[in-house]
Amino acid sequence: MKTRLKKALDRALSAILPNRCLLCHQLVTGCRTGICNYCLPTCLYSTPVCLGCGKPMTIVQCYCGQCMKREPLKVIAACSYHQGLGPWIAAIKYQRQFAVLPPLIEALACRIKSLVSRGTIQMPQALLAVPLHSNRLHQRGFNQAVVIAKSLSKQIGIPLVEGVIKREKDTPAQAGMSGRQRRLNLRQAFSVQLSLPLQRVALIDDVVTTGTTVSEIHKLLAAQSIDVQIWCLARAEAPHISLE
Ligand SMILES: [Zn+2]
Ligand SMILES: [Zn+2]
């Protein structure tokens, strides 16, 4: 309870102290917002990680030994959700607190460019954002995945194509659900509105937890023979922690 109270106080304090680091409250200098130069590196991945399961690795390659056998969806993230910025990433959509967006998007863009230059992943031809249902979009006023995708599109120079995927079902929030419940919750929740003359796309979301949402969309795009990789701000590696 004490920790929760402290976190709530930290958030309130940071909201009224502009240009202060969200984590240590030191003044942030330069044009960066949200997080200082000392705290940011401690919140980002400091080693290569497996694009399948998120495990740290000693060398840059696509998958760890275990994932190599089954080649799961490739997820490229800037950080782990559990590495310090999780509550602030959740605050983007729930409290419209956008301060961590610019540094995290920049870190994600850097990671993507580095993986492309090493040949670990191929640059996609277009970006797609995980859609919200129109009811949720109306309530929230914005889709955080679109906000992230627009900024990445500018930084990486790949177009964002909107309106390709539609969320048909206004499904309940997934937090707290098991993997099976998530799969049932999202069954036939999405549809593809256009057929894309593309071979490779990146699907953008804020957080990937169990990967159920992105897997559902991947199935639809794979049916059009489109290769899909996932780009997100953070991945929550432990599937029992449901924060999507
Ligand atoms: Zn700091
Ligand atoms: Zn792995």
Side-chain angles (χ1 to χ4, degrees):
M1 186 62 206
K2 252 188 184 168
T3 327
R4 276 173 61 190
L5 187 63
K6 185 177 177 307
K7 279 184 184 162
L9 273 173
D10 277 354
R11 276 201 285 277
L13 194 60
S14 300
I16 55 169
L17 292 175
N19 226 16
R20 295 267 169 186
C21 173
L22 295 166
L23 298 180
C24 72
H25 308 308
Q26 296 298 310
L27 201 61
V28 178
T29 51
C31 52
R32 174 173 292 156
T33 61
I35 184 146
C36 75
N37 285 333
Y38 299 101
C39 292
L40 184 62
T42 68
C43 297
L44 301 176
Y45 286 129
S46 56
T47 63
V49 290
C50 169
L51 303 186
C53 66
K55 241 192 271 173
M57 299 194 295
T58 48
I59 51 164
V60 180
Q61 56 183 31
C62 194
Y63 295 124
C64 69
Q66 280 199 322
C67 289
M68 232 175 248
K69 293 172 209 152
R70 51 187 188 95
E71 299 196 356
L73 259 178
K74 292 172 196 154
V75 177
I76 295 105
C79 66
S80 161
Y81 197 89
H82 313 300
Q83 221 171 334
L85 288 181
W88 292 107
I89 294 169
I92 295 168
K93 57 184 168 192
Y94 298 123
Q95 291 161 30
R96 293 169 167 265
Q97 165 59 268
F98 297 112
V100 292
L101 261 182
L104 278 182
I105 291 173
E106 200 184 312
L108 176 58
C110 268
R111 203 160 180 94
I112 291 160
K113 286 179 195 165
S114 155
L115 288 170
V116 170
S117 73
R118 288 163 184 267
T120 314
I121 56 169
Q122 265 191 300
M123 198 55 107
Q125 296 155 302
L127 310 183
L128 309 179
V130 170
L132 288 181
H133 188 270
S134 51
N135 292 349
R136 189 78 57 90
L137 185 61
H138 188 68
Q139 263 170 12
R140 195 171 288 168
F142 68 99
N143 176 352
Q144 67 282 357
V146 171
V147 174
I148 297 164
K150 280 186 176 164
S151 180
L152 277 173
S153 167
K154 275 193 205 136
Q155 291 191 35
I156 297 190
I158 306 281
L160 163 67
V161 186
E162 293 191 74
V164 176
I165 305 152
K166 187 177 172 200
R167 198 158 194 144
E168 300 282 359
K169 276 167 56 181
D170 188 8
T171 51
Q174 309 233 78
M177 286 188 188
S178 69
R180 186 168 176 276
Q181 285 167 327
R182 281 171 185 241
R183 280 191 295 280
L184 286 174
N185 189 37
L186 288 177
R187 188 173 285 169
Q188 291 171 345
F190 299 98
S191 68
V192 176
Q193 304 291 298
L194 301 165
S195 87
L196 289 173
L198 299 172
Q199 291 88 47
R200 294 182 309 280
V201 300
L203 183 61
I204 318 293
D205 208 353
D206 55 347
V207 178
V208 169
T209 307
T210 57
T212 318
T213 305
V214 290
S215 297
E216 284 298 311
I217 297 173
H218 167 245
K219 275 186 223 161
L220 297 173
L221 295 169
Q224 292 189 18
S225 304
I226 299 171
D227 180 66
V228 181
Q229 52 183 298
I230 314 301
W231 293 355
C232 60
L233 298 183
R235 71 186 294 164
E237 293 87 349
H240 61 282
I241 300 171
S242 307
L243 297 158
E244 210 166 67

